[in-house]
Amino acid sequence: MTAVADETTATGGGNLPDAGAESAAGRTGTGVQRAGFMLSADGSYAACLATDSGGHWYPERWTLGGPEPYAVPLPCAQPEEPASSVVPLRDGRVLIRRLVDPAAGRHHLSLLYPSGPATSEVELGSVDTGPGGELLLVPPAAASTEVYALAPGERSTAVWLVHGGGSGSLELAAEVQGRCTGGRWLDLAGGLLAVDRELEGRTKAVAVDVRHTGEVSPLLQITENSNDRLLLSDPDSGLLLVLSDAPGHDRLGWGVLGSSRPVRFPEALKPGGGGADSPLAGAVMAPFAVQPGQALMPESCGVALRLDGPAGSWVGLWRPSGRELSHYAAPPGWLPGAGWWTPAGELRLPCAAGPLAVGVASLVPSAGGAV
């Protein structure tokens, strides 16, 4: 696979957080906590962990594809641990990962779905990652139903197919040298998975063929000594949003999959840019959604960013073809860092006002704006 860039000419600095694009945690005005919020690729469903009136955690599924958004609790026999994680599937079921034996690093996986007033559970199996080991779920690609998981170890990372395989059981899809995190799809079918691999003191994004050979190919190699992570990718246009210290400090940049042009680091995405009076003064930013459906037009894709500053959190909108970052107030109850674009250019932001009181706010950039 062609590297995204060879060199960078940008200068400057800043300190940016790693983007948890589809995850968010928050407390509503009624005291309900929600954590690990994750959207399906098409925005039809979402899932998270939520607390009841006694502070116990349970899985919660949001239905967002109909005329009126609503949430359904999926409590099981025992309260969940807050470290559990969930992934919504396109058929409305929710995959949950639970750490059932910390000493062995045993993670158990099940499918949950509502069955009348109760919750039905289908067990999928377990993965042993060793003491203290993680199992990081990767949600399905836009045109796939398969769920993968990364099990990072000291020297290598196992990539597991945990749902959607032909055998009906858990399958080891690939073994990647180094410690891998992240997980972004480079294609709609879910065959090429990009991960951030830490190896020999450097972190570089690589592509893994999880569907066929398990082969690993370079993806980001901005400079030999830089740390280059992939934050977001859009398979339709090939747009990649990256975090790299190639300019001297961590900066947000963008490139195009398979292009020979270098990654660019726009001033509009520079933390603290614009001086003391700028909205970005003292703020950090993280991209969380890219507009799909812009085939062969990566510079036209809308990019949504979460911005956090002294005054709170708000939404930034930007396009590679634009020179400015537009700022929008966050809607009430927004789960910061959660949202998705429609192909027509509407940004949809999930919001919560209390137990099972959920909604979706729409943000349509003005025609005359920078986005």
Side-chain angles (χ1 to χ4, degrees):
M1 179 174 294
T2 305
V4 172
D6 301 315
E7 296 291 339
T8 175
T9 58
T11 60
N15 186 21
L16 293 168
D18 192 12
E22 289 87 14
S23 65
R27 183 186 295 272
T28 69
T30 58
V32 176
Q33 282 187 281
R34 288 183 169 90
F37 191 89
M38 187 172 289
L39 287 156
S40 61
D42 61 356
S44 59
Y45 288 100
C48 64
L49 295 178
T51 55
D52 60 20
S53 58
H56 302 117
W57 292 91
Y58 64 89
E60 183 179 73
R61 187 198 70 185
W62 293 29
T63 299
L64 303 172
E68 190 71 26
Y70 64 93
V72 175
L74 296 173
C76 298
Q78 298 290 332
E80 305 294 342
E81 294 294 329
S84 299
S85 53
V86 292
V87 169
L89 305 181
R90 288 191 298 172
D91 61 8
R93 293 181 294 177
V94 172
L95 188 148
I96 185 168
R97 175 208 57 83
R98 302 179 176 108
L99 179 60
V100 296
D101 186 351
R106 178 167 298 163
H107 301 260
H108 193 73
L109 299 128
S110 296
L111 291 175
L112 307 177
Y113 58 94
S115 180
T119 301
S120 292
E121 180 168 350
V122 177
E123 297 186 354
L124 299 176
S126 298
V127 175
D128 290 347
T129 61
E134 298 176 283
L135 189 67
L136 310 174
L137 297 180
V138 179
S144 173
T145 59
E146 297 173 341
V147 181
Y148 286 81
L150 306 178
E154 291 185 8
R155 299 180 180 178
S156 65
T157 298
V159 183
W160 288 89
L161 174 59
V162 298
H163 173 67
S167 68
S169 59
L170 308 187
E171 302 174 22
L172 181 62
E175 190 84 21
V176 182
Q177 185 182 10
R179 178 177 175 81
C180 299
T181 55
R184 301 291 177 186
W185 293 108
L186 300 176
D187 64 329
L188 295 171
L192 278 179
L193 179 65
V195 296
D196 297 327
R197 177 173 69 174
E198 182 182 351
L199 185 65
E200 298 178 351
R202 296 291 177 189
T203 300
K204 301 281 188 183
V206 297
V208 185
D209 182 352
V210 297
R211 188 70 62 79
H212 300 108
T213 64
E215 181 182 358
V216 179
S217 305
L219 180 63
L220 292 175
Q221 182 74 29
I222 299 179
T223 69
E224 182 178 352
N225 295 320
S226 59
N227 294 288
D228 310 317
R229 297 174 173 86
L230 180 65
L231 301 184
L232 289 179
S233 63
D234 175 54
D236 287 326
S237 64
L239 179 65
L240 305 178
L241 275 296
V242 308
L243 179 67
S244 174
D245 59 6
H249 300 277
D250 279 347
R251 287 281 303 274
L252 284 175
W254 69 279
V256 180
L257 183 65
S259 172
S260 60
R261 298 186 64 184
V263 167
R264 279 144 282 185
F265 297 90
E267 286 296 307
L269 302 184
K270 180 180 178 180
D277 296 331
S278 168
L280 293 180
V284 293
M285 63 181 75
F288 64 86
V290 179
Q291 181 184 356
Q294 309 301 300
L296 305 179
M297 296 189 298
E299 295 189 0
S300 299
C301 291
V303 177
L305 301 99
R306 169 184 174 175
L307 295 106
D308 296 291
S313 299
W314 68 98
V315 180
L317 300 184
W318 172 82
R319 292 186 195 275
S321 60
R323 292 182 175 272
E324 297 181 359
L325 176 68
S326 297
H327 301 265
Y328 295 83
W334 178 48
L335 300 176
W340 76 99
W341 288 90
T342 68
E346 177 185 351
L347 180 64
R348 312 210 71 196
L349 303 171
C351 306
L356 306 182
V358 304
V360 176
S362 296
L363 197 163
V364 180
S366 59
V371 174

